[in-house]
Amino acid sequence: MQISPQQVLDALKNVEDPDLKKDLVTLNMIKDLQIVENEVKFTLELTTPACPMKDMLKNACTNAIKHFVSAAAEVIINVTSRVTQPTNSSSLDNIKNIILVSSGKGGVGKSTVASNLAVTLAKDGAKVGLIDADIYGPSVPTMFDLVDAKPGAEETADGKTKILPIEKYGIKLLSLGFFADPGQPVPWRGPMASNAVKQLFNDTNWGELDYLIVDLPPGTGDIHITITQSFPISGAVVVTTPQQVALADTHKGLAMFRMQGIDIPVLGVIENMSYFTPAELPDNKYYIFGKGGGTELAARFDVPFLGEIPIIQSIAEAGDNGRPVALNQNPLLDVIFGDIASKIAQQVSISNAQVANC
């Protein structure tokens, strides 16, 4: 008996996206269904190229068709993605999701996390931009070997001038460090700093982006308030280290996103410098700064714990050499950063779906 499209769709209604809590057909994730005799071919359109359940959903679709339609069916699935965005996004229409990387404390490796997160999402196939909004110590120029680089500009059809971000490693980059002498301090006043940061968003030709990662300065100051209240933010990622002195400040930084007038979804907590692993003993873990602080912080605020990043010499060396370590095909770190990036993309999709259903 010839397999019908309706039989296939009815079978796939039994496959639910575990995050969005609806079946794939209702979510309109099944595209281009074609049936030739026993061959069933379609596209599974996920909500992010970094989906951590890609293989699980693909296998579930195959099993559903073989169980509910025909055990002899030959199922061919092409997996693609279409990154979602918040339905209340009212500006920066070409940028689907703005993700803030924040911490209440300096020195926790926030810029390293932001840079490697951007690189990992781009490696997965997403269109990614990175803004270094740390006015006090911009790190992106060093981490991407762009210390002396200057972005270009173009004039639009309506006579406005737009900044052109610098592209490197598949990422579009802008930093306040590009507009200042690397050897000179810049004593920013609050309003001046806020206006400068706004320009990085509003006066730049970013093109189409799935994710714009924003590396925030430490603390909870003018820059944080300006960005959270001026632009549609998909969510914030909070970076901490395990010791109590860092957790006390990070607690305040996370709580800021829950304040009235800000109210930004917290996508989760990342614990950096969790443990030391010597290169010659890759299976050994030494918790020199304590253990479990990031997990406790996430539990305290009922947000996801996104993962632990170890202290490994190659991470620091890669940043100093201008080539983030996620580019270097380190098996251990590929798994760690890949898992964290997938969880963040997953949380963005969940948050966007919740906003759409409100």
Side-chain angles (χ1 to χ4, degrees), residues 124-268:
D124 284 332
K127 298 174 183 175
V128 183
L130 174 61
I131 286 181
D132 179 2
D134 190 343
I135 60 174
Y136 309 110
S139 302
V140 162
T142 299
M143 291 186 169
F144 285 84
D145 194 21
L146 294 169
V147 171
D148 296 315
K150 300 296 178 188
E154 66 175 5
E155 189 170 325
T156 62
D158 56 2
K160 295 180 180 178
T161 300
K162 289 278 190 179
I163 302 167
L164 294 174
I166 297 172
E167 294 194 39
K168 194 161 187 179
Y169 307 138
I171 302 165
K172 295 181 178 180
L173 303 160
L174 267 189
S175 169
L176 290 171
F178 293 155
F179 303 97
D181 185 331
Q184 294 295 320
V186 182
W188 297 92
R189 288 187 179 274
M192 185 169 65
S194 296
N195 287 334
V197 169
K198 279 185 177 181
Q199 283 187 291
L200 299 182
F201 288 86
N202 292 326
D203 297 342
T204 300
N205 182 3
W206 286 105
E208 292 187 6
L209 295 179
D210 295 318
Y211 304 103
L212 178 58
I213 311 298
V214 184
D215 180 15
L216 292 175
T220 53
D222 288 340
I223 300 300
H224 304 73
I225 295 170
T226 295
I227 292 175
T228 55
Q229 294 187 342
S230 301
F231 304 105
I233 308 300
S234 294
V237 174
V238 176
V239 181
T240 188
T241 51
Q243 66 267 52
Q244 290 302 314
V245 68
L247 288 165
D249 289 338
T250 309
H251 178 111
K252 298 171 188 173
L254 197 157
M256 175 192 68
F257 294 114
R258 296 278 179 87
M259 291 175 62
Q260 187 175 0
I262 295 181
D263 197 23
I264 300 294
V266 177
L267 304 174

Side-chain angles (χ1 to χ4, degrees), residues 230-343:
S230 301
F231 304 105
I233 308 300
S234 294
V237 174
V238 176
V239 181
T240 188
T241 51
Q243 66 267 52
Q244 290 302 314
V245 68
L247 288 165
D249 289 338
T250 309
H251 178 111
K252 298 171 188 173
L254 197 157
M256 175 192 68
F257 294 114
R258 296 278 179 87
M259 291 175 62
Q260 187 175 0
I262 295 181
D263 197 23
I264 300 294
V266 177
L267 304 174
V269 173
I270 297 172
E271 185 181 275
N272 194 26
M273 308 183 205
S274 293
Y275 52 87
F276 172 62
T277 295
E280 64 275 14
L281 296 169
D283 295 328
N284 289 27
K285 297 181 180 181
Y286 301 96
Y287 293 88
I288 56 180
F289 294 138
K291 187 176 181 181
T295 308
E296 291 175 13
L297 179 68
R300 194 183 309 157
F301 283 90
D302 193 25
V303 299
F305 181 67
L306 300 171
E308 299 178 339
I309 301 172
I311 302 173
I312 296 179
Q313 187 175 352
S314 59
I315 297 178
E317 289 177 346
D320 289 344
N321 293 333
R323 185 176 170 83
V325 75
L327 292 164
N328 295 341
Q329 296 184 325
N330 178 304
L332 171 63
L333 296 175
D334 281 351
V335 170
I336 290 172
F337 283 115
D339 184 53
I340 290 172
S342 294
K343 287 178 180 177

